[in-house]
Amino acid sequence: MRALRATLCVLTFLATLAGLSSAALAKGVAGGTAADATTIAETTAGGSTTSGTPAATTVTGGSTTTTAAPTTKKPTVHAPVTARSSSVLYRGPVYERTATGAVIPYVIPPPVGQTNGETGGSIADLAAATKPELLVPGSTARYVNGLAAAPMSAPAAVQEIVWAGNQLIGLPYIYGGGHASFISSGYDCSGTVSFALHGASLISTPMDSSEFEGWGGHGVGRWVTIFTNPEHAYMTVAGLRLDTSSADDPTNEQGPRWRPLRPANAGFMVRHPAGL
């Protein structure tokens, strides 16, 4: 009878020890309960937006200690770089930032050629002046009467890129234009990109398309993306394309201007300004 009781005690002890080992193992993996470990596994398999080094597990004196791994979230991309449709139609509200910084509703001027009732001058003369700094609600730039309106929720640098790009609308394409100086009577592809970036104080000297291949960060940006190769360069800003090429643009207009996004951007290095 004593031998039987001793055997039962040993079996009970082993069963308890096995249960404790399983719980400790689960806690060592997840830093919590076995249910926590299951949740982590499901999150990883489901495409978590966090990344980092796996958690380190250390066993000291029979106890398990877990050091949480550092995690970093992937940056949110606010602006698409491709689109199936070439439509840039926009019917929403548009605002203008005045010289004093006030934001007021924007009134689209009459078509070129019509007279201004207040001054009697030509609207074409007024259009030759500094372009208005347009704004629209949300996080997407919009095409408004030939100009781009910057999204209100975008960083100030993105808005300044948009407004700088607007200043080139109507100027001709000139090979090498915008390289000897940011001020030119016309601009080529990389001269256009350089001018827009300079408007946000992101570059201090003009760059050619080959130089842009190694500039900034690799890949698509949150707001601004540059597509470049040794022969051509263009950029997308908050969902619009600033380009001298009329490719995938139904208007077929030449020179630097805002255009619809392309359905694909194959054949180009992809770069972006740091932080944007």
Side-chain angles (χ1 to χ4, degrees), residues 179 189-190 193-194 197 203 206-220 225-234 265-273:
H179 288 276
C189 58
S190 53
V193 174
S194 293
L197 293 175
I203 60 174
M207 299 170 62
D208 63 32
S209 58
S210 295
E211 290 174 313
F212 275 120
E213 290 183 321
W215 182 81
H218 175 71
V220 173
T225 302
I226 298 168
F227 298 92
T228 185
N229 62 31
E231 298 179 353
H232 187 57
Y234 60 93
N265 300 288
F268 292 87
M269 292 279 290
V270 184
R271 311 294 296 184
H272 67 271

Coordinates of all heavy atoms in Angstrom, one line a residue, residues 179 189-190 193-194 197 203 206-220 225-234 265-273:
H179 N 18.4 74.8 -65.0 CA 19.6 74.1 -64.5 C 20.7 75.1 -64.1 O 21.3 75.0 -63.1 CB 20.1 73.1 -65.5 CG 19.3 71.9 -65.5 ND1 19.3 70.8 -64.6 CD2 18.3 71.5 -66.4 CE1 18.4 69.9 -64.9 NE2 17.8 70.3 -66.0
C189 N 12.4 68.7 -67.8 CA 11.8 67.8 -66.8 C 12.4 68.0 -65.4 O 11.7 68.2 -64.4 CB 11.9 66.4 -67.3 SG 13.5 65.8 -67.6
S190 N 13.7 67.8 -65.3 CA 14.3 67.8 -64.0 C 14.4 69.3 -63.5 O 14.5 69.5 -62.3 CB 15.7 67.2 -64.0 OG 16.5 67.7 -65.1
V193 N 11.2 69.7 -61.7 CA 11.2 69.0 -60.4 C 12.1 69.8 -59.4 O 11.7 70.0 -58.2 CB 11.7 67.6 -60.5 CG1 11.9 66.9 -59.1 CG2 10.7 66.8 -61.4
S194 N 13.2 70.3 -59.9 CA 14.1 71.0 -59.0 C 13.4 72.3 -58.5 O 13.5 72.7 -57.3 CB 15.4 71.4 -59.8 OG 16.2 70.3 -60.1
L197 N 10.8 71.6 -55.8 CA 11.5 71.2 -54.5 C 12.1 72.4 -53.8 O 12.1 72.5 -52.6 CB 12.5 70.1 -54.7 CG 11.9 68.7 -55.1 CD1 13.1 67.7 -55.4 CD2 11.0 68.1 -54.1
I203 N 16.0 71.7 -51.7 CA 17.3 71.6 -52.4 C 17.7 73.1 -52.6 O 16.9 74.0 -52.7 CB 17.2 70.9 -53.8 CG1 16.3 71.6 -54.7 CG2 16.9 69.4 -53.6 CD1 16.3 70.9 -56.1
P206 N 19.9 73.4 -58.5 CA 19.1 72.5 -59.4 C 19.9 71.2 -59.7 O 21.1 71.1 -59.6 CB 19.1 73.3 -60.8 CG 19.3 74.8 -60.3 CD 20.2 74.7 -59.2
M207 N 19.1 70.1 -59.9 CA 19.7 68.8 -60.1 C 19.1 68.3 -61.4 O 18.0 68.6 -61.9 CB 19.3 67.9 -59.0 CG 19.8 68.4 -57.6 SD 19.1 67.4 -56.2 CE 19.7 65.8 -56.6
D208 N 19.9 67.4 -62.1 CA 19.4 66.7 -63.3 C 18.8 65.4 -62.9 O 18.9 64.9 -61.8 CB 20.5 66.6 -64.4 CG 21.7 65.7 -63.9 OD1 21.5 64.8 -63.1 OD2 22.8 66.0 -64.4
S209 N 18.2 64.7 -63.9 CA 17.5 63.5 -63.6 C 18.4 62.4 -63.1 O 18.0 61.6 -62.2 CB 16.8 63.0 -64.9 OG 17.7 62.8 -65.9
S210 N 19.7 62.3 -63.5 CA 20.6 61.3 -63.0 C 20.9 61.6 -61.6 O 21.1 60.6 -60.8 CB 21.9 61.3 -63.9 OG 21.6 60.8 -65.2
E211 N 21.1 62.8 -61.2 CA 21.4 63.1 -59.8 C 20.2 62.8 -58.9 O 20.4 62.4 -57.7 CB 21.7 64.6 -59.7 CG 23.1 65.0 -60.3 CD 23.3 66.5 -60.3 OE1 22.4 67.3 -60.7 OE2 24.4 66.9 -59.9
F212 N 19.0 62.9 -59.4 CA 17.9 62.5 -58.6 C 17.8 61.0 -58.3 O 17.1 60.6 -57.3 CB 16.6 63.0 -59.3 CG 16.2 64.4 -59.0 CD1 16.1 65.3 -60.0 CD2 16.0 64.9 -57.7 CE1 15.7 66.6 -59.8 CE2 15.6 66.2 -57.4 CZ 15.5 67.1 -58.5
E213 N 18.5 60.2 -59.1 CA 18.5 58.8 -58.8 C 19.1 58.4 -57.4 O 18.7 57.4 -56.9 CB 19.2 58.0 -59.9 CG 18.5 58.1 -61.3 CD 19.3 57.3 -62.3 OE1 20.5 57.3 -62.3 OE2 18.6 56.6 -63.1
G214 N 19.9 59.3 -56.9 CA 20.5 59.0 -55.6 C 20.1 60.0 -54.5 O 20.7 60.0 -53.5
W215 N 19.1 60.8 -54.8 CA 18.7 61.8 -53.9 C 17.6 61.3 -53.0 O 16.7 60.6 -53.4 CB 18.3 63.1 -54.6 CG 17.9 64.2 -53.8 CD1 18.7 65.1 -53.2 CD2 16.5 64.6 -53.4 NE1 18.0 66.0 -52.4 CE2 16.7 65.7 -52.5 CE3 15.3 64.1 -53.6 CZ2 15.5 66.4 -52.0 CZ3 14.2 64.7 -53.1 CH2 14.3 65.8 -52.3
G216 N 17.5 61.8 -51.8 CA 16.4 61.5 -50.8 C 16.4 60.1 -50.4 O 17.4 59.4 -50.4
G217 N 15.2 59.6 -50.1 CA 15.0 58.2 -49.7 C 14.5 57.4 -50.8 O 13.9 57.8 -51.8
H218 N 14.7 56.1 -50.7 CA 14.3 55.1 -51.7 C 12.8 54.8 -51.6 O 12.3 54.7 -50.5 CB 15.1 53.8 -51.6 CG 14.7 52.7 -52.5 ND1 14.9 52.8 -53.9 CD2 14.0 51.6 -52.3 CE1 14.4 51.7 -54.5 NE2 13.8 51.0 -53.5
G219 N 12.1 54.6 -52.7 CA 10.7 54.2 -52.7 C 9.7 55.3 -52.7 O 10.1 56.5 -52.8
V220 N 8.5 54.9 -52.6 CA 7.3 55.9 -52.6 C 7.3 56.7 -51.3 O 7.4 56.1 -50.2 CB 6.0 55.1 -52.9 CG1 4.8 56.1 -52.7 CG2 6.0 54.4 -54.2
T225 N 6.6 61.8 -54.4 CA 7.4 60.8 -55.0 C 8.0 61.3 -56.3 O 7.3 61.9 -57.1 CB 6.6 59.5 -55.3 OG1 6.0 59.1 -54.0 CG2 7.4 58.4 -55.8
I226 N 9.3 61.0 -56.5 CA 10.0 61.4 -57.7 C 10.3 60.2 -58.5 O 10.8 59.2 -58.0 CB 11.3 62.1 -57.4 CG1 11.0 63.4 -56.6 CG2 12.1 62.5 -58.6 CD1 12.2 64.1 -56.0
F227 N 10.0 60.2 -59.8 CA 10.3 59.1 -60.7 C 11.4 59.6 -61.7 O 11.2 60.6 -62.4 CB 9.1 58.7 -61.5 CG 8.0 58.1 -60.6 CD1 7.0 59.0 -60.1 CD2 8.0 56.8 -60.2 CE1 6.0 58.5 -59.2 CE2 7.0 56.3 -59.4 CZ 6.0 57.2 -58.9
T228 N 12.5 58.9 -61.7 CA 13.6 59.5 -62.5 C 14.5 58.4 -63.1 O 14.6 57.3 -62.6 CB 14.5 60.3 -61.6 OG1 15.5 61.0 -62.3 CG2 15.1 59.5 -60.4
N229 N 15.0 58.7 -64.3 CA 16.0 57.9 -64.9 C 17.0 58.8 -65.7 O 16.8 60.0 -65.7 CB 15.4 56.8 -65.9 CG 14.6 57.4 -67.0 OD1 14.9 58.5 -67.5 ND2 13.5 56.7 -67.4
P230 N 18.0 58.3 -66.4 CA 19.0 59.3 -67.0 C 18.3 60.2 -68.1 O 18.9 61.2 -68.4 CB 20.0 58.3 -67.6 CG 20.0 57.1 -66.7 CD 18.5 56.9 -66.4
E231 N 17.1 59.8 -68.5 CA 16.6 60.6 -69.6 C 15.4 61.5 -69.2 O 15.0 62.4 -69.9 CB 16.1 59.7 -70.7 CG 17.3 58.9 -71.4 CD 16.8 57.9 -72.4 OE1 15.6 57.8 -72.6 OE2 17.7 57.3 -73.1
H232 N 14.7 61.2 -68.1 CA 13.5 61.9 -67.8 C 13.3 61.9 -66.3 O 13.7 61.0 -65.6 CB 12.3 61.3 -68.5 CG 11.0 62.2 -68.3 ND1 11.0 63.5 -68.7 CD2 9.8 61.8 -67.8 CE1 9.7 63.9 -68.5 NE2 9.0 63.0 -67.9
A233 N 12.5 62.9 -65.8 CA 12.1 62.9 -64.4 C 10.8 63.6 -64.3 O 10.5 64.6 -65.0 CB 13.2 63.6 -63.5
Y234 N 10.0 63.2 -63.3 CA 8.7 63.9 -63.0 C 8.4 63.5 -61.6 O 9.1 62.7 -60.9 CB 7.6 63.5 -63.9 CG 7.2 62.0 -64.0 CD1 6.2 61.5 -63.1 CD2 7.8 61.1 -64.9 CE1 5.9 60.2 -63.2 CE2 7.5 59.8 -64.9 CZ 6.5 59.3 -64.1 OH 6.1 58.0 -64.1
N265 N 4.3 53.4 -63.6 CA 5.5 54.2 -63.6 C 6.7 53.4 -63.9 O 7.8 53.6 -63.3 CB 5.6 55.0 -62.3 CG 4.5 55.9 -62.0 OD1 4.3 56.9 -62.6 ND2 3.7 55.5 -61.0
A266 N 6.6 52.4 -64.7 CA 7.7 51.5 -65.0 C 8.9 52.2 -65.7 O 8.7 53.1 -66.4 CB 7.2 50.3 -65.9
G267 N 10.1 51.7 -65.4 CA 11.3 52.2 -66.0 C 12.0 53.4 -65.3 O 12.9 54.0 -65.9
F268 N 11.5 53.7 -64.1 CA 12.1 54.8 -63.3 C 12.6 54.4 -61.9 O 12.0 53.5 -61.3 CB 11.0 55.9 -63.2 CG 10.6 56.6 -64.5 CD1 9.6 56.0 -65.2 CD2 11.3 57.7 -64.9 CE1 9.2 56.7 -66.4 CE2 10.9 58.3 -66.1 CZ 9.9 57.8 -66.8
M269 N 13.6 55.0 -61.5 CA 14.0 54.9 -60.1 C 13.0 55.7 -59.3 O 12.5 56.7 -59.7 CB 15.4 55.5 -59.9 CG 16.5 54.7 -60.5 SD 17.0 53.3 -59.5 CE 17.8 54.1 -58.1
V270 N 12.7 55.2 -58.1 CA 11.6 55.9 -57.3 C 12.3 56.4 -56.0 O 12.9 55.7 -55.2 CB 10.5 54.8 -56.9 CG1 9.4 55.5 -56.1 CG2 10.0 54.2 -58.1
R271 N 12.2 57.7 -55.8 CA 12.8 58.4 -54.7 C 11.7 59.3 -54.0 O 10.7 59.6 -54.6 CB 14.0 59.2 -55.1 CG 15.0 58.5 -56.0 CD 15.7 57.4 -55.3 NE 16.5 57.8 -54.2 CZ 17.3 57.0 -53.5 NH1 17.3 55.7 -53.7 NH2 18.0 57.5 -52.5
H272 N 12.1 59.8 -52.8 CA 11.2 60.8 -52.2 C 12.0 61.6 -51.2 O 13.0 61.2 -50.7 CB 10.0 60.0 -51.4 CG 10.5 59.2 -50.3 ND1 10.9 57.9 -50.4 CD2 10.7 59.5 -48.9 CE1 11.3 57.4 -49.2 NE2 11.2 58.4 -48.3
P273 N 11.5 62.8 -50.9 CA 12.2 63.7 -50.0 C 12.1 63.0 -48.6 O 11.0 62.5 -48.2 CB 11.4 65.0 -50.0 CG 10.6 64.9 -51.3 CD 10.3 63.5 -51.6

